[in-house]
Amino acid sequence: MKIGVVGLPGCGKSTVFGALTGMPVETGYAAGSGKANLGVVKVPDPRVDALARLYTPKKTTYAEVTFTDLANPGGAAGSADRGGLDRATLNAMRDVDALCQVLRGFPDAAGAAPDPLGEMAELETETILADLEIVEQRVARLRKDRSDPRELALQERIQAHLESEQPLRSMTLSEAEEKSITGYAFLTRKPLLLVLNVPEEGIGEAAPDDVQQAADERGLGLVVLSAQIEMDIAQMEAEDQNEFLESLGLEEPASHRFIRAAYGLLDLIAMLTAGPDECRAWAVRRDTPAPAAAGKIHSDIERGFIRAEVIRWDDLVAEGSEAKCRDAGKLRVEGKDYVVQDGDVVHFRFNV
Ligand SMILES: Nc1nc2c(ncn2[C@@H]2O[C@H](COP(=O)(O)OP(=O)(O)O)[C@@H](O)[C@H]2O)c(=O)[nH]1
Ligand SMILES: [Mg+2]
């Protein structure tokens, strides 16, 4: 899964990126202009840990999330020169599975008060305009060559929706329509997670009502964190980390909360595989049938799918082995219509 971190210059994108990845980053308005940071985070999963204790496998592999800290648009943008998504940033945004907009919740270096709702509206407008540009070109082309009246009707509906200043997230599309537009990678159709970046004093507090309400109305996820301090924590040794979190009254680093929110937003669940070679978590969309889930591992397994042998992870840990689960009736044999559930340990049988 790839998540692009976006937002106005100075809102704290690079700092949030540092907090999520634990990687050292340059912060400040001018820092990293024109260059994006890329980082990979392992998704913490106690179920994988429990399976690894059982099998002591050669390899333990967690699901991964890739973060891109999308550079501020060209040049050294200062607070007087806000906004304006350039081409490169727009293209990078099209390339991710989900967007995370950072909203500045602290007074900036010049003392300007935070305006999270304004920032939210600004990015919304800019991404609506970017999508509109694409759909206008497509509509013009479809009108000219008259090749596909159904596609034209759909694109015109999309255009009307955007012209009414609504992101495409709020548009109802059939499964077939949804599929037919994936190639356009519309920015306002991508899942969006908001991060309100608050000052240290606001740590552990809920979001202000107006911000929470704006997120709820749009059906967006919202995570409140204090990026500066979370970045410092993320770069500490594990031991110091826990002590420091405790002293702040926090149960876990912000990256864990963020990843859970992102999983929820993208409707992802963990499918597990376990054995002496490897214990591993795979991120799959909820409601994925067994063969498609098998395809995450290898396309050959999807193609030659025969059946899935499924054990709940906690049954496997409690019984201690696959054989014991079989004897205890805790191993189920499932066919191609089975929908993989969060926490299923799956063993696929397939033809080669
Ligand atoms: N007080 C405070 N300052 C922050 C916080 N997060 C970022 N900053 C500062 O705000 C400035 C811009 O942050 P940066 O991450 O570079 O923003 P970007 O332009 O969106 O990448 C830097 O000087 C940061 O140190 C925060 O949580 N609290
Ligand atoms: Mg930056």
Side-chain angles (χ1 to χ4, degrees):
M1 171 175 49
K2 275 200 269 183
I3 299 184
V5 183
V6 296
L8 301 195
C11 65
K13 291 182 294 299
S14 299
T15 314
V16 166
F17 174 87
L20 296 175
T21 62
M23 283 167 61
V25 287
E26 274 182 75
T27 58
Y29 289 132
S33 285
K35 141 179 164 285
N37 292 309
L38 198 72
V40 179
V41 176
K42 293 186 190 332
V43 177
D45 194 331
R47 296 167 297 188
V48 177
D49 299 329
L51 292 169
R53 279 194 294 275
L54 187 63
Y55 283 97
T56 49
K58 293 189 196 112
K59 209 168 141 197
T60 302
T61 312
Y62 299 89
E64 287 179 346
V65 177
T66 304
F67 289 101
T68 349
D69 166 21
L70 296 171
N72 287 330
S79 54
D81 175 25
R82 293 196 159 278
L85 293 169
D86 62 358
R87 229 2 90 184
T89 307
L90 286 170
N91 287 339
M93 284 167 77
R94 297 200 188 286
D95 197 37
V96 297
D97 302 309
L99 295 167
C100 158
Q101 180 179 14
V102 179
L103 304 166
R104 182 169 61 83
F106 57 93
D108 74 3
D115 177 21
L117 292 179
E119 291 188 2
M120 207 190 290
E122 187 166 338
L123 187 88
E124 195 167 274
T125 304
E126 286 206 38
T127 49
I128 285 173
L129 290 175
D131 284 350
L132 204 48
E133 198 179 311
I134 287 179
V135 82
E136 278 167 353
Q137 281 169 12
R138 186 69 192 144
V139 164
R141 154 134 250 163
L142 286 162
R143 280 196 186 135
K144 199 163 140 223
D145 63 18
R146 298 175 195 210
S147 57
D148 193 340
R150 266 177 68 184
E151 157 94 10
L152 176 59
L154 171 61
Q155 295 288 347
E156 281 174 339
R157 249 172 74 214
I158 291 174
Q159 181 174 7
H161 193 87
L162 291 167
E163 279 170 349
S164 71
E165 294 171 27
Q166 295 297 314
L168 295 176
R169 256 171 243 115
S170 62
M171 192 172 172
T172 312
L173 294 172
S174 72
E175 225 171 281
E177 288 170 336
E178 179 83 64
K179 228 175 165 175
S180 78
I181 63 161
T182 47
Y184 297 101
F186 289 120
L187 299 179
T188 63
R189 189 77 183 166
K190 287 190 189 286
L192 176 62
L193 187 56
L194 300 169
V195 164
L196 181 64
N197 183 14
V198 298
E200 194 181 327
E201 308 85 73
I203 213 163
E205 280 175 26
D209 288 343
D210 55 348
V211 179
Q212 187 65 57
Q213 199 185 330
D216 292 345
E217 276 167 7
R218 292 168 173 78
L220 307 177
L222 173 64
V223 172
V224 184
L225 55 81
S226 187
Q228 188 93 67
I229 193 144
E230 291 282 355
M231 181 169 84
D232 295 341
I233 296 171
Q235 284 164 6
M236 289 176 184
E237 300 290 328
E239 235 169 85
D240 301 335
Q241 241 178 43
N242 289 335
E243 210 170 292
F244 205 74
L245 285 167
E246 218 168 283
S247 75
L248 289 168
L250 296 174
E251 278 173 25
E252 57 183 354
S255 60
H256 293 194
R257 277 192 293 136
F258 183 95
I259 285 172
R260 272 204 303 278
Y263 260 57
L265 184 73
L266 292 169
D267 229 0
L268 293 172
I269 60 163
M271 169 174 82
L272 306 163
T273 51
D277 284 331
E278 188 180 33
C279 289
R280 179 161 183 171
W282 308 78
V284 296
R285 294 245 163 173
R286 194 180 299 283
D287 298 330
T288 301
K296 288 265 159 198
I297 302 174
H298 203 289
S299 55
D300 286 350
I301 312 181
E302 178 170 8
R303 220 172 303 124
F305 180 89
I306 301 171
R307 62 175 189 269
E309 296 175 359
V310 183
I311 310 174
R312 295 292 309 161
W313 77 275
D314 44 350
D315 285 339
L316 181 51
V317 170
E319 297 291 337
S321 76
E322 213 175 293
K324 284 184 187 150
C325 286
R326 200 184 293 268
D327 293 344
K330 294 200 166 148
L331 182 148
R332 283 172 289 128
V333 176
E334 303 281 4
K336 64 178 170 40
D337 294 329
Y338 179 68
V339 172
V340 173
Q341 305 294 309
D342 192 32
D344 276 352
V345 181
V346 186
H347 193 143
F348 292 108
R349 301 287 175 188
F350 63 105
N351 282 318
V352 276

